[in-house]
Amino acid sequence: MAPVKQRTEPPYPLHPSVIDRINPEYAAFYNEHLQDKQQVHLQPVEASRAGGGKIVLGAGKPEANVSVKDHLVLQDPRLCRNPGLMTGQDFPRIPIRIFTPMGQAPAAGWPLCFWFHGGGWVLGNIDTENVITSRLSHAGKCVVITVDYRLAPEHRFPTALEDCWQVFLWATNDSNRDPVLRGINKKCVAVGGSSAGGNIAAAICQRQAGFSTWMPRLQFLSVPVLDNTATAENNVSWRENEFTPALPAAKMMWYREHYLPDPAQWCHPEASPLLWKGNWGKLPPAVILVGELDVLRSEGQDFAKKMNAAGAKANVHVFKGQPHPFIAMDGALSDGRRAIEIFADALSNILYQPE
C-alpha cells in the first residue's frame, strides 16, 4: 500500500489503493462532487453539523406518495436500562417521524418498520434519511418510524440505543392507544438502519431476544457497525480499505472515540453486536447490505455467518466496488437504488407472509 500523509485540507483524491477497485459510477461522482469537500473527522463536530441533516451528497428525492407526521415520544424511566441518561438537561421526549403509505390499510393494519439513521452516532437527525424511509414505506407497503436519537459526544454510549429502544417499546406496546399508532399492526414488525443505525437495530433485536418471546419478523442492516473492536491490525476489511473514500479507518475511529471514549466499552455487546453471547438462533431473519470497499464489510459478513450457523437465516449482499455510503446516494448511484429495492422487497415479502 502506498505511504500516505494525511491531508488536512481538500482536495482529497482517491487513494492509489482503491483506484483500481472502486465502482466507476461512484468514482466519477466522487471526482466531480466530493473530493473538494472537507472531511468531517478533520474539523470540529459543530462544523460537520452545520449542513443540517445532510451527511452524504447524491441522494435522490423523497417519495411523495406517503403521508408524513412528526410526533414526540415521552420516555418511560421504567423501561430504560440506564435511567441516569434521562436526568439533568436531557430532554424527556424523543422526536420521531412516521411515514404511512397512501391508500387503504390491510385488515390487520399496516406492518410496522423502524429505521435508525446513520452518521456514526455523531451526525444526522430526523431529516437525514427521508429518501430511504419514504421509499421503504411506499414500496414496502408499511408504516416506517424513524427516530431523532441523541448524539455523541454530548450523549455517549448507550444513549442513542436507549432512545431507540424506548421508541421501539412504545410503538409495539399493545396497551398504547396513542392515536398516532392507529391502523398499525404492532406484531408485524421489522427493525433496520444504516451504519450506526444498523448497529442500533441489531442491538435492539438482541435485547428483544433476551427480553421477550415475541420477536420482529425481519432485521435489515445497511453497512452496519457490528464490531467496535475492529481495527486495521485485526480485521481484514479494515486493512484492505483503510484509505477508502467516505469512511476511511481514521474517520471510523473518530466516530467511535466520540460515542465510545472509553476503550473498555468497545467490546460491550450492545456496542459490538457481533460479540453478543445470547441465543443467535432466536434472532429474526436478516438482510444485510455491505460495500466491498467498506471497512465495515467483514463485520456484516461475520454477523451473517453467526446467524446462519445458529439456524437463523441471514442473506448478505456485497455491492462490488462500493464504499460505505452507497445506499444514501440513490440519486447518483444505480447501486443505491438497487439497495433500497432489496430492502423494500424484503419488507413486503416477509411482513405480508402469514405467521
Side-chain angles (χ1 to χ4, degrees):
M1 183 172 292
V4 170
K5 291 182 179 179
Q6 187 181 57
R7 295 180 61 93
T8 58
E9 298 292 338
Y12 302 99
L14 290 170
H15 190 272
S17 65
V18 304
I19 285 178
D20 293 336
R21 300 185 294 135
I22 199 163
N23 175 277
E25 197 174 29
Y26 181 91
F29 186 86
Y30 181 90
N31 288 334
E32 183 174 355
H33 299 286
L34 301 178
Q35 69 168 323
D36 63 341
K37 301 295 188 294
Q38 177 62 290
Q39 296 281 343
V40 300
H41 63 294
L42 301 178
Q43 63 182 359
V45 171
E46 295 76 16
S48 296
R49 290 177 179 168
K54 184 174 288 188
I55 298 175
V56 179
L57 297 180
K61 294 181 179 180
E63 171 61 51
N65 293 310
V66 294
S67 69
V68 182
K69 181 178 293 185
D70 288 349
H71 192 64
L72 293 172
V73 174
L74 179 65
Q75 297 188 51
D76 185 343
R78 296 169 298 177
L79 302 178
C80 185
R81 298 284 183 90
N82 296 273
L85 299 177
M86 300 172 61
T87 61
Q89 300 301 311
D90 293 345
F91 56 79
R93 295 179 184 268
I94 306 167
I96 66 172
R97 182 163 290 162
I98 304 172
F99 300 81
T100 304
M102 298 294 190
Q104 184 67 36
W110 291 113
L112 175 60
C113 166
F114 297 89
W115 179 266
F116 308 118
H117 70 77
W121 312 280
V122 176
L123 306 177
N125 57 36
I126 205 166
D127 298 317
T128 298
E129 293 177 10
N130 283 348
V131 173
I132 298 172
T133 47
S134 63
R135 293 190 180 181
L136 290 178
S137 177
H138 174 69
K141 300 180 178 64
C142 61
V143 168
V144 177
I145 293 178
T146 186
V147 182
D148 199 6
Y149 57 83
R150 289 170 289 176
L151 300 174
E154 298 88 347
H155 305 284
R156 295 168 175 167
F157 171 80
T159 307
L161 172 60
E162 291 295 349
D163 286 355
C164 295
W165 175 246
Q166 287 270 331
V167 172
F168 173 80
L169 294 181
W170 169 83
T172 57
N173 185 346
D174 283 336
S175 65
N176 186 348
R177 301 304 178 206
D178 194 314
V180 77
L181 298 176
R182 189 174 294 127
I184 290 177
N185 182 349
K186 298 179 182 179
K187 295 303 182 185
C188 188
V189 173
V191 180
S194 177
S195 192
N199 170 279
I200 293 169
I204 281 178
C205 288
Q206 291 174 346
R207 270 195 182 187
Q208 186 70 1
F211 173 78
S212 173
T213 57
W214 169 81
M215 288 296 294
R217 291 198 188 180
L218 173 69
Q219 55 182 321
F220 56 118
L221 313 176
S222 174
V223 295
V225 185
L226 298 170
D227 182 4
N228 269 306
T229 70
T231 66
E233 287 70 40
N234 65 20
N235 181 284
V236 61
S237 60
W238 275 64
R239 188 162 52 252
E240 290 176 355
N241 303 308
E242 185 174 2
F243 303 107
T244 188
L247 190 66
K251 184 177 180 181
M252 185 61 225
M253 288 300 299
W254 182 85
Y255 285 133
R256 180 186 297 172
E257 289 165 357
H258 279 80
Y259 185 55
L260 293 153
D262 181 0
Q265 293 185 313
W266 294 0
C267 61
H268 192 294
E270 292 194 336
S272 296
L274 184 62
L275 307 183
W276 185 56
K277 302 299 184 184
N279 182 0
W280 285 77
K282 190 178 178 182
L283 294 176
V287 177
I288 303 172
L289 309 185
V290 296
E292 184 188 25
L293 268 63
D294 188 1
V295 293
L296 305 178
R297 184 197 69 229
S298 55
E299 299 172 31
Q301 293 171 316
D302 290 345
F303 192 86
K305 288 176 184 176
K306 281 196 171 185
M307 285 189 62
N308 287 321
K313 185 178 180 181
N315 292 325
V316 180
H317 301 260
V318 181
F319 284 70
K320 185 174 176 59
Q322 290 294 359
H324 183 72
F326 62 89
I327 193 172
M329 300 175 65
D330 64 298
L333 303 179
S334 55
D335 276 347
R337 295 186 287 276
R338 184 164 70 92
I340 296 175
E341 289 171 0
I342 288 172
F343 277 157
D345 288 346
L347 285 171
S348 58
N349 290 339
I350 291 178
L351 295 182
Y352 280 90
Q353 285 181 355
E355 289 192 73

